[in-house]
């Protein structure tokens, strides 16, 4: 079973803000990363570390963390942001990675 | 440009063996870890294990220990994932991914290799 828990699905109106959360005890020790996966495509990194965006990722994506919860916020969601989002971090041993259960984001 | 290029789709029968590959380019292959991720049809991402091609340090997720073998050939900048005896439940998309030495994140992904196991 996954050590990182996400809500299965969220929806957001076009142009509005949505927050996706990831909960797990290991997040008290390690930052989460966030990945976007569109149907039929490989995941891509959107946020890592405290709040870092790789080159090419729009600044409407941001990350934050508090206690055992990491969050990914999309401010001003666009139609192209409709995708599955996964968090990941190290597991409780620190020697392996683990993924969250995934959140399907629908842009209405 | 960093690229991870994986081998093509495979169709195998239960009990057969298989080795899929992931070739890295555009960076120092021996200075980054390469991980493998499974995604079963319609399901989420699962971490399988990771290898450091520089010294072949390999770590398997407990769920995959003994089920697969991860290896790398640094002379040709290629990592491998292999099975000795496939099962129908191994049917999935498999991704390789690059991990910086400090394990900060997974920064690049391969395009995926679809493995179908069916009699």
């Amino acid at each position: 079973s996954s050590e990182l828990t996400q809500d299965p699905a969220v929806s957001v109106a076009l142009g509005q803000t949505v927050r996706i959360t990831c909960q797990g005890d290991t997040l008290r020790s390690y930052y989460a990363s966030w990945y976007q996966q569109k149907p039929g495509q490989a995941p891509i990194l959107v946020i890592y570390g405290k709040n870092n965006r790789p080159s090419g990722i729009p600044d409407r994506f941001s990350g934050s963390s508090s206690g055992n919860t990491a969050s990914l916020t999309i401010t001003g969601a666009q139609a192209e942001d409709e995708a599955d989002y996964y968090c990941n971090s190290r597991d409780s041993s620190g020697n392996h990675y683990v993924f969250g259960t995934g959140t399907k984001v629908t842009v209405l | 440009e960093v690229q991870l290029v994986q081998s093509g789709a495979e169709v195998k029968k239960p009990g057969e063996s298989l080795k899929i590959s992931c070739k890295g380019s555009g960076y120092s292959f021996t200075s980054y870890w390469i991980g493998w991720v499974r995604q079963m049809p319609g399901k989420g991402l699962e971490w399988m294990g990771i290898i450091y091609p520089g010294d072949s340090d390999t770590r398997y997720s407990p769920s995959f220990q003994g089920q697969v073998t991860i290896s790398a050939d640094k002379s040709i900048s290629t990592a491998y994932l292999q099975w000795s005896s496939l099962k129908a439940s191994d049917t999935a998309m498999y991704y390789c991914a690059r991990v910086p030495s400090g394990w900060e994140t997974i920064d690049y992904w391969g395009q995926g290799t679809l493995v179908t196991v069916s009699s």
Side-chain angles (χ1 to χ4, degrees):
Chain A
S1 63
S2 177
E3 298 180 33
L4 298 176
T5 303
Q6 301 178 236
D7 290 331
V10 297
S11 59
V12 57
L14 185 67
Q16 296 304 300
T17 296
V18 62
R19 174 175 289 182
I20 307 162
T21 61
C22 172
Q23 287 191 299
D25 285 342
T26 62
L27 299 179
R28 298 183 187 278
S29 304
Y30 302 106
Y31 285 117
S33 294
W34 291 92
Y35 308 90
Q36 177 193 72
Q37 186 180 35
K38 296 181 179 179
Q41 297 183 20
I44 63 168
L45 176 66
V46 293
I47 289 289
Y48 68 99
K50 192 171 183 180
N51 181 20
N52 301 303
R53 280 177 291 105
S55 173
I57 300 301
D59 61 6
R60 63 179 179 270
F61 290 91
S62 63
S64 62
S65 184
S66 178
N68 73 336
T69 302
S71 300
L72 173 70
T73 300
I74 309 174
T75 304
Q78 302 299 302
E80 61 264 32
D81 300 334
E82 188 163 287
D84 293 326
Y85 290 83
Y86 295 91
C87 61
N88 104 301
S89 187
R90 298 206 202 192
D91 71 358
S92 53
S93 75
N95 292 320
H96 305 288
Y97 269 143
V98 63
F99 285 99
T101 49
T103 298
K104 181 176 182 60
V105 172
T106 300
V107 180
L108 303 172
Chain B
E1 179 194 8
V2 174
Q3 286 192 308
L4 297 174
V5 179
Q6 298 185 229
S7 49
E10 302 274 1
V11 179
K12 291 289 190 179
K13 290 181 167 43
E16 292 186 332
S17 62
L18 176 65
K19 192 174 190 177
I20 63 174
S21 66
C22 168
K23 183 173 177 60
S25 62
Y27 71 99
S28 174
F29 187 72
T30 54
S31 299
Y32 290 80
W33 296 76
I34 293 287
W36 288 93
V37 177
R38 182 175 79 176
Q39 188 167 38
M40 300 177 75
K43 302 298 184 182
L45 304 174
E46 299 175 89
W47 183 257
M48 302 178 72
I50 194 168
I51 187 166
Y52 190 72
D55 62 7
S56 294
D57 183 3
T58 307
R59 304 176 192 185
Y60 295 93
S61 169
S63 299
F64 291 92
Q65 179 80 49
Q67 307 304 308
V68 296
T69 300
I70 294 171
S71 60
D73 184 341
K74 60 186 179 183
S75 69
I76 56 171
S77 300
T78 301
Y80 302 96
L81 177 66
Q82 68 180 87
W83 297 259
S84 58
S85 181
L86 286 160
K87 302 183 283 286
S89 58
D90 293 317
T91 294
M93 182 71 81
Y94 293 88
Y95 295 100
C96 65
R98 192 183 83 159
V99 177
S101 59
W103 285 37
E104 296 89 344
T105 188
I106 302 169
D107 58 1
Y108 287 92
W109 295 71
Q111 84 276 18
T113 296
L114 180 62
V115 174
T116 303
V117 184
S118 174
S119 54

